[in-house]
Amino acid sequence: MKLDQYQVSAFTQQQFGGNPAAVVPLQEWLPRETMLAIAAENNLSETAFFLPEGDDFLLRWFTPQVEVELCGHATLATAHVLFNELGHSAQTIRFLTYSGELLVSQDERGICLDLPVHDISETSADAAIVTALGCEPLVAYAAPSWVYRYASEQQIRELSPDFRALLAATDLPVIVTAPGDQVDFVSRFFGPQVGIDEDPVTGSAHCALVPLWADRLGKQQFSARQLSARGGDLDCELLGQRVLLRGYGLTFLRGQIEFD
């Protein structure tokens, strides 16, 4: 069997920046074990598989270890492939996913993702997580991932987690965030629980970060940067119970997967 595959850098306008995702167009689903094996072979934070469903598209995402319910950067990468590689002419794409319907559009400001808000509530910082991170946060929050808020961008940059200890401390990924020096807020995402020690740019994390910072800053539109080694930039907006994320994608390679 031969399958086309694209690798796209998401949330960046520079090659070797942003978050790389593999995108595999399908005409029917492969066995889940095969899709997971392809994702493991790619060894990127996410591999997206999609197939047409009438005028819409079914979409699933896999890390090298697990299937996940939501991935922002691989959704942007998939939309980039449809718009810019496969000639999809509609202005808006509707993806049908385990997280519901996701609408994605493209204009001169890049690709815009319409994602669900994640509930977030203040909680106590876990001592084992704090030890693994190496720095006490100002406030801890519970969401689909843990969110730890710090005082400064410098603290976020200087964190050097013990990933083995972090994996032992919690079953959930950990997002760290703080006010930015040149943007509204910055973040990093640590996910050894899903096979990603540090994700370069995490769209789904902003489903919790945007409502957090909307509450703290008293506004609805934000500039954000994820401070991984590759780095990535996002324009964010809170719109009711939805989070709009805007960014760019760049095709890095086009190829084929070949297997029996």
Side-chain angles (χ1 to χ4, degrees), residues 25-48:
L26 299 173
Q27 292 303 312
E28 60 182 14
W29 290 125
L30 300 170
R32 184 178 180 278
E33 294 75 13
T34 301
M35 292 189 285
L36 188 57
I38 291 171
E41 190 72 14
N42 286 331
N43 200 30
L44 298 170
S45 60
E46 299 286 346
T47 296

Side-chain angles (χ1 to χ4, degrees), residues 43 47-48 79 95 115 143 157 159 184 239 246 248:
N43 200 30
T47 296
F95 290 117
L115 304 178
R157 288 186 180 276
L159 286 177
D184 290 308
L239 196 63
R246 291 182 178 86
Y248 293 89

Side-chain angles (χ1 to χ4, degrees), residues 67 124 205 237:
E67 184 174 7
S124 299
E237 182 177 356

Side-chain angles (χ1 to χ4, degrees), residues 9 12 66 71 76 89 135 169 171:
S9 298
T12 185
V66 297
C71 178
L76 188 150
S89 58
C135 186
D171 293 333

Side-chain angles (χ1 to χ4, degrees), residues 156-253:
I156 302 298
R157 288 186 180 276
E158 292 178 351
L159 286 177
S160 182
D162 180 333
F163 291 112
R164 185 169 297 180
L166 194 61
L167 179 59
T170 177
D171 293 333
L172 298 177
V174 177
I175 304 163
V176 294
T177 188
D181 295 338
Q182 298 180 339
V183 295
D184 290 308
F185 66 86
V186 297
S187 66
R188 292 171 70 184
F189 179 97
F190 307 127
Q193 299 81 2
V194 293
I196 309 163
D197 282 350
E198 180 164 5
D199 195 33
V201 193
T202 315
S204 60
H206 290 75
C207 295
L209 291 172
V210 167
L212 185 163
W213 287 106
D215 182 63
R216 289 207 51 80
L217 300 178
K219 61 180 189 175
Q220 307 299 305
Q221 295 183 325
F222 310 89
S223 58
R225 181 161 180 81
Q226 196 154 327
L227 298 177
S228 63
R230 292 174 65 97
D233 300 299
L234 308 92
D235 290 326
C236 313
E237 182 177 356
L238 182 63
L239 196 63
Q241 291 299 303
R242 309 295 293 182
V243 170
L244 304 184
L245 301 180
R246 291 182 178 86
Y248 293 89
L250 289 172
T251 301
F252 177 70
L253 63 82

Side-chain angles (χ1 to χ4, degrees), residues 102-117:
L102 305 180
L103 299 179
V104 184
S105 58
Q106 181 174 246
D107 59 24
E108 67 279 359
R109 295 180 295 170
I111 293 174
C112 179
L113 309 182
D114 181 337
L115 304 178
V117 163

Side-chain angles (χ1 to χ4, degrees), residues 6 16 33 46 55 61 74 85 95-96 114 127 154 240 256:
Y6 302 84
F16 312 114
E33 294 75 13
E46 299 286 346
D55 294 332
W61 311 274
E85 299 290 341
F95 290 117
L96 309 178
D114 181 337
Q154 182 177 354
Q256 283 192 324

